[in-house]
Amino acid sequence: MVGQVKRGTINFIADGADMTARLSTNAMAAYQDKTGEQFVVGLDMLSKSPGDIVRLRNLFWAAIVGDYSMEEVGDLIDDIGMGEVVEIIGQAVQAAFPASVVDMGKGKGAKTKAPATT
């Protein structure tokens, strides 16, 4: 159901339609503009408080390609389920930062480190 197309991009089905999540620079900047926190901080905070539905919806809103209201994003989450949304976001993170997820910037030949959360 979920598959990678290109770096940072994940295709998925919601409400019977093909959709795309993409963690581009613009998507992460949109999240920061909307919430005042860095995208990676939002991910970290969600991992510490998985019941934070507002943060989950905001992260998913930023990742979805297209112009969706927060209410529409909430409806999409209802349709596909919170667990699947977390999976989509996680796979999009892995697609956007493959080296940082695999080795967190450690090891021989690593060129990409995990984004800073300062």
Side-chain angles (χ1 to χ4, degrees), residues 1-117:
M1 182 175 189
V2 177
Q4 181 180 348
V5 174
K6 63 181 182 175
R7 186 176 180 131
T9 303
I10 299 299
N11 291 329
F12 63 98
I13 297 173
D15 199 24
D18 290 330
M19 300 192 72
T20 301
R22 180 160 190 248
L23 292 183
S24 64
T25 299
N26 288 331
M28 291 182 275
Y31 176 85
Q32 188 169 346
D33 287 344
K34 182 94 169 155
T35 66
E37 76 180 0
Q38 295 173 5
F39 191 86
V40 293
V41 172
L43 291 173
D44 184 51
M45 295 303 293
L46 185 63
S47 73
K48 293 175 182 174
S49 182
D52 188 343
I53 190 64
V54 172
R55 185 168 274 120
L56 176 66
R57 184 179 68 172
N58 289 341
L59 289 164
F60 197 48
W61 167 83
I64 295 174
V65 174
D67 188 20
Y68 295 93
S69 71
M70 287 296 179
E71 291 76 22
E72 291 169 323
V73 173
D75 291 341
L76 289 171
I77 292 170
D78 290 343
D79 180 58
I80 61 179
M82 286 187 238
E84 184 71 12
V85 168
V86 170
E87 177 80 13
I88 290 166
I89 293 170
Q91 288 188 17
V93 167
Q94 288 178 336
F97 306 106
S100 65
V101 172
V102 172
D103 61 22
M104 295 305 288
K106 299 175 188 170
K108 200 173 187 179
K111 295 183 182 184
T112 304
K113 292 188 178 182
T117 59

